[in-house]
Amino acid sequence: MTMRSIRKLYPAISDDIGDLRTQRPLPNEEIEQVDPFLFLNHHGPQVYPPRNHGLPFGPHPHRGFETVTFIVDGSLMHRDTGGHESEIRAGGVQWMTAGRGLEHAELSPESFLRHGGPLEILQLWVNLPSRLKMTEPNYVGLQQNEIPKFDNVSLISGHWNGHRGPIESLTGITMMTVAFDAAYPRWRADVPLDHNIFFYVVRGEVRVSGQEVHAFHLADFKHDGDAIEVQATGDALILFGHAAPIGEPVVAHGPFVMNSREEIMQAIRDYQAGAFK
């Protein structure tokens, strides 16, 4: 067993959306993706006042990838043209496979609009290989009590330490959140040597391979080991995943992620023709 080392750290870029505080660690000025992980927005943490306008993510389309949304604090309503609807609260996760295309909205519930409250949400975009880009859309919403917890690990998909997450990823992605405190200051995971690691510090500060990684930072790892070990001196939360890289061309345009410009143009035509249902 050899521990992986960090190639580089990337601070999140401030990219506020109206009054929604937003930090974006990926993509950044130096890397476009950590294949197959494409994009991460970190909304909040912030506190909304009573009688607020809530989240600004009204109906919009997607094709060619998956969105994984982590509700760290607050709550989130999901509705899509596939007939899926749910309100996921703090600690829960939404995993949506856009596939061949659907339209969805991510909005604040009425109670949040009336009363306000704390809000912190992470949304990760995960690419699909060309053979799955036109797969049937799907959605799974999990509340906190539906996500298995093993010590300080909330396992969402894939495998860790002999355990299996509730989401069956189409591409074998392992994804989890790991919380650190005085009772659980250390954590370790095995990672296949050919897999890319997604590692983002949501809050607090941790030490990995002799390097400190602070909140709002993405760590890019080398392929020089088959395990990772993390230590924290206080309360901290990380978003951790790993997956085999797809290794295909990525052409993104707004809410569509395909393999060629021609496929992007077809996605736009299909959406305008009302095919995203």
Side-chain angles (χ1 to χ4, degrees), residues 52-226:
N52 64 81
H53 297 293
L55 293 168
F57 306 120
H60 58 282
H62 288 302
R63 172 179 279 182
F65 64 103
E66 299 183 285
T67 65
V68 187
T69 308
F70 307 82
I71 295 83
V72 180
D73 207 352
S75 56
L76 181 63
M77 280 288 301
H78 170 97
R79 296 189 186 95
D80 66 46
T81 49
H84 307 107
E85 182 173 339
S86 67
E87 177 183 337
I88 303 299
R89 297 176 292 279
V93 172
Q94 299 177 342
W95 193 300
M96 187 186 79
T97 302
R100 62 175 175 78
L102 53 64
E103 185 178 73
H104 77 144
E106 299 162 299
L107 300 169
S108 299
E110 287 295 328
S111 59
F112 186 87
L113 299 179
R114 289 195 303 270
H115 304 295
L119 181 74
E120 186 171 14
I121 293 171
L122 309 169
Q123 186 170 91
L124 177 67
W125 290 14
V126 182
N127 200 11
L128 288 171
S130 57
R131 64 183 177 85
L132 292 174
K133 283 193 176 294
M134 297 299 284
T135 195
E136 191 70 17
N138 190 39
Y139 170 83
V140 178
L142 297 174
Q143 302 291 0
Q144 183 179 40
N145 62 4
E146 297 174 302
I147 299 171
K149 190 170 183 179
F150 308 101
D151 296 332
N152 58 337
V153 173
S154 295
L155 183 58
I156 296 150
S157 69
H159 302 267
W160 174 79
N161 204 25
H163 303 293
R164 185 174 183 174
I167 297 290
E168 293 289 340
S169 164
L170 293 175
T171 52
I173 292 169
T174 290
M175 182 60 60
M176 67 192 76
T177 59
V178 186
F180 298 85
D181 57 22
Y184 298 105
R186 287 179 177 271
W187 169 80
R188 191 187 71 82
D190 296 329
V191 181
L193 191 60
D194 62 338
H195 278 204
N196 284 338
I197 288 176
F198 188 88
F199 187 103
Y200 177 70
V201 180
V202 180
R203 67 168 180 263
E205 177 185 311
V206 300
R207 178 173 287 272
V208 189
S209 302
Q211 284 191 251
E212 291 183 351
V213 188
H214 298 266
F216 300 104
H217 279 73
L218 177 77
D220 183 25
F221 283 82
K222 299 177 182 177
H223 289 261
D224 57 356
D226 56 3

